Each structure stands twice: as structure tokens, then as C-alpha cells.
């Protein structure tokens, strides 16, 4: 068995920003349009009006202030309320592959490595652009990597689950190095017409280079341990899939997009995530107090604050549990990796941190690392 390290990370940031102010203007125009069109049913009590949104509501509910997206005009069009993507022919690189390649190349450059040093690609994301061929194989080929690639989906925990798969491949000697890429085009599956969640998601892509510790550059992150947990729950769900066509479903049916029972998720996931990390650390011989920083999944500010409080027995400082949610919104599996990417350069040799994600499934993944 070989010791394993995270050598570097990469980050692709989409070209467009939607602020809460812009989003509220578009949503409220949509709401007023819908309410006017159905005024008679609303007056008769047979239909509920679409409630208006506000900047204050969004920030209090989530802590989000803005988000990056691949396309914004369609989202902000009250008559459309979804991105306006142009279909690409099969001869062109797919959108998910394109942003994954950009993040992966940055990770390779930061580690001083090339495609020749890598044996595998894992594309780990909450939603795949297509069923097949695997996105990972397209990304692998575009990067010029000789080896293997496969897709995996564990919703918002996909990145940490992908890291464990990569760690195991490297640890066993099956691969010298594996790239885990997390292309999250969440704007395509967000219900922009639903006031309770129209603000939640943003687009992004992260990449993580996992390789043998003896091949890693100075300052890499030794992986001390990984741990995964799943427990089935319907509290977060998206029913869209290839069977929808056979079921004669309308693509606009509410359950064909992301939906959740937010309060239930908050109540159930927070203690699970805190206990998961505490027990993982204990089995490695550590306590949460010995951890310099927790890079947590970025879904909701209140969730992260409560989880950190359960871990530490007090409120965490911004340095102990950094937040990127306000800038990026919820980016599904990529959130904890963005936090790690943005808030890890100040670590000294020997400092320890935990990357943790949690989401639909329920699924929880943790990665304990130490700076070399």
C-alpha cells in the first residue's frame, strides 16, 4: 500500500454573475405575470398566488449573495426562467467536459504535472449532462490521459466520494495519480420558478489531483483517512431521467427538477454530519479541537454554523470553517472543494484539516488531510 496525497486543486469559474438583486427583479416579474394570468383562480381560492421574493429573504434563508452561471439571460427572462444553452454537435466537446478540462489543467499546472503523470479520471457530479458515453472518458481523452475514466453521482457528496475512489486506486497501486473533476452545471436543474429554492444554486467546476505521496510536490496534503456514509432519504430529490419519456412526463413537472424538504434536511443532516466527522477523527486518534480548519459543503450558512458548533462546542471562526457560499451559492459537490482551494494556502507543515460534504441520499463523505 502506498501513502496518498492531494497534490493540488483547480477551479473553473463561469463567466456570468447573477446577484440577488437581479434574481429578485426577474423572479418577481415572473410571479406578477403568473398571478395576473391566473387571477380568477386565485380570487376563487382554487389556486395559490406565487409569493414574491426579496433580497432579505434570500440572505436570511441561505447566506447567499450571488452566484456564477454559464448563461444568465435565460434565467433572468421572466418568460423563460432557465438557462438558454445552444445544443452542441457530437463533434464538439461537451459543456461539462469543457469546464472540467479547464479545472483539471489548472490542477495539473499547480502540481507541476502533465497528463502523462495521470492514469485515471473520475467525473463526480450531482447531475451528468448525458447518460453515455461517460463524461469522464471524454474529459480523459481531451486531456490526453492514457488510462481509464468513469462517472459517479452521489449528489452533493460526489467530490468526497470520488476522492475516496481515487485514494483507493492510488493506495493499491492501480494508478499513480487520478484526477477527480466536479463539473456542476446546477443552473440547468434548479427550479428558478420556485420561490423557496430559486436562489440556491450556482455553476462551477473543481478538480483534485490525487497521487502517491512520494510523487507529490512539497506542500502537498497527505490523506490520513477517508470515510463515506449513506442512508436513504427522499428529503432531497430530482426524478428526471431516461424513464421520464416512457412515463409521458412533462419536463416542466415540478419533480423533474431539484426539490427538497429544507427544514427536514436541516434537522436530520446537521447532527449526522457532525457525528460522522467526530467519529472519523476519533478512529484516526484525533479530536475536532486538533483540526485547524473544516472545509464544509456549502449549502446553507446556518447548517454550516450549526455543524461547526456541534463539532467544536462553540461557534467556529471564519478561519476554522470558511464560507464561500455567499459568492458561489450552493455548487453541489464542488462547494467543499472550492473552500479548500480558496482557504488552504496559509497552512503550515503538520497542520490538519477536514474536507466534508453532505447532501441527497443522504450521503456524507469526509477526507482528513495533513500538510506536508
Amino acid at each position: 500500500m502506498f501513502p496518498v496525497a492531494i497534490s493540488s486543486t483547480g477551479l473553473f469559474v463561469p463567466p456570468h454573475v447573477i446577484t440577488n438583486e437581479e434574481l429578485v427583479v426577474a423572479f418577481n416579474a415572473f410571479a406578477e405575470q403568473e398571478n395576473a394570468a391566473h387571477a380568477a383562480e386565485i380570487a376563487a381560492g382554487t389556486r395559490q398566488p406565487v409569493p414574491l421574493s426579496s433580497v432579505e429573504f434570500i440572505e436570511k434563508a441561505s447566506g447567499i449573495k450571488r452566484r456564477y452561471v454559464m448563461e444568465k439571460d435565460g434565467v433572468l427572462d421572466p418568460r423563460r426562467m432557465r438557462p438558454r444553452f445552444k445544443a452542441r454537435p457530437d463533434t464538439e466537446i461537451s459543456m461539462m467536459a469543457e469546464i472540467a478540462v479547464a479545472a483539471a489543467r489548472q490542477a495539473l499546472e499547480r502540481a507541476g504535472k502533465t497528463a502523462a503523470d495521470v492514469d485515471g479520471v473520475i467525473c463526480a457530479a450531482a447531475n451528468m449532462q448525458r447518460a453515455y458515453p461517460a463524461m469522464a472518458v471524454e474529459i480523459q481523452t481531451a486531456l490526453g490521459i492514457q488510462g481509464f475514466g468513469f462517472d459517479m453521482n452521489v449528489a452533493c457528496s460526489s467530490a468526497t466520494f470520488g476522492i475516496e475512489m481515487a485514494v483507493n486506486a492510488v493506495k493499491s497501486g492501480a494508478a499513480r495519480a487520478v484526477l477527480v473533476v466536479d463539473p456542476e452545471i446546477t443552473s440547468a436543474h434548479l427550479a428558478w420558478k420556485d420561490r423557496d429554492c430559486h436562489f440556491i444554486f450556482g455553476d462551477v467546476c473543481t478538480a483534485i489531483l490525487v497521487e502517491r505521496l512520494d510523487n507529490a510536490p512539497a506542500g502537498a496534503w497527505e490523506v490520513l483517512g477517508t470515510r463515506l456514509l449513506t442512508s436513504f432519504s427522499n428529503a432531497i430529490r430530482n426524478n428526471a431521467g431516461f424513464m421520464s419519456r416512457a412515463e409521458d412526463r412533462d419536463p416542466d413537472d415540478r419533480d423533474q427538477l431539484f426539490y427538497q424538504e429544507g427544514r427536514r434536511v436541516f434537522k436530520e443532516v446537521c447532527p449526522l454530519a457532525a457525528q460522522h466527522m467526530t467519529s472519523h477523527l476519533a478512529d484516526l486518534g484525533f479530536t475536532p479541537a486538533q483540526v485547524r480548519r473544516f472545509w464544509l459543503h456549502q449549502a446553507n450558512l446556518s447548517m454550516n454554523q450549526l455543524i461547526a458548533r456541534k463539532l467544536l462546542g462553540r461557534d467556529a471562526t471564519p478561519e476554522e470553517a470558511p464560507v464561500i457560499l455567499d459568492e458561489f451559492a450552493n455548487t453541489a459537490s464542488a462547494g467543499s472543494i472550492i473552500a479548500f482551494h480558496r482557504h488552504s494556502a496559509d497552512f503550515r507543515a503538520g497542520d490538519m484539516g477536514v474536507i466534508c460534504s453532505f447532501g441527497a441520499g443522504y450521503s456524507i463523505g469526509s477526507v482528513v488531510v495533513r500538510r506536508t
Side-chain angles (χ1 to χ4, degrees), residues 250-316:
D250 183 341
D252 288 332
D253 284 350
R254 183 64 190 86
D255 73 328
Q256 298 293 287
L257 298 168
F258 162 86
Y259 66 104
Q260 69 171 349
E261 298 176 52
R263 292 181 180 178
R264 178 182 164 196
V265 172
F266 186 96
K267 181 179 179 180
E268 295 176 347
V269 169
C270 289
L272 273 177
Q275 178 57 37
H276 178 88
M277 284 182 276
T278 300
S279 62
H280 187 190
L281 287 165
D283 287 347
L284 293 171
F286 305 113
T287 67
Q290 293 174 276
V291 175
R292 179 173 175 188
R293 191 161 296 158
F294 292 90
W295 300 286
L296 302 177
H297 172 50
Q298 306 283 310
N300 179 284
L301 180 59
S302 295
M303 286 186 73
N304 284 18
Q305 290 171 338
L306 179 56
I307 290 168
R309 194 177 305 125
K310 286 180 176 293
L311 283 165
L312 299 172
R314 57 172 173 79
D315 290 340

Side-chain angles (χ1 to χ4, degrees), residues 4-8 111 113 211-221 372:
V4 182
I6 293 176
S7 290
S8 62
K113 300 299 173 71
E211 64 178 333
R212 284 172 49 170
L213 180 61
D214 56 5
N215 291 335
W221 301 82
T372 60

Side-chain angles (χ1 to χ4, degrees), residues 300-359:
N300 179 284
L301 180 59
S302 295
M303 286 186 73
N304 284 18
Q305 290 171 338
L306 179 56
I307 290 168
R309 194 177 305 125
K310 286 180 176 293
L311 283 165
L312 299 172
R314 57 172 173 79
D315 290 340
T317 67
E319 290 72 29
E320 291 171 319
V323 173
I324 55 87
L325 179 73
D326 54 342
E327 178 184 353
F328 286 87
N330 183 340
T331 50
S333 71
S336 59
I337 308 303
I338 301 172
F340 176 67
H341 179 86
R342 285 277 187 91
H343 298 280
S344 58
D346 59 333
F347 268 48
R348 301 177 296 272
D351 286 348
M352 187 170 61
V354 178
I355 303 169
C356 184
S357 57
F358 34 88

Side-chain angles (χ1 to χ4, degrees), residues 102-125:
R105 284 177 173 159
Q106 186 185 108
L108 289 171
E109 182 180 353
R110 295 181 75 202
K113 300 299 173 71
T114 69
D117 299 307
V118 181
D119 294 324
V121 174
I122 300 172
C123 182

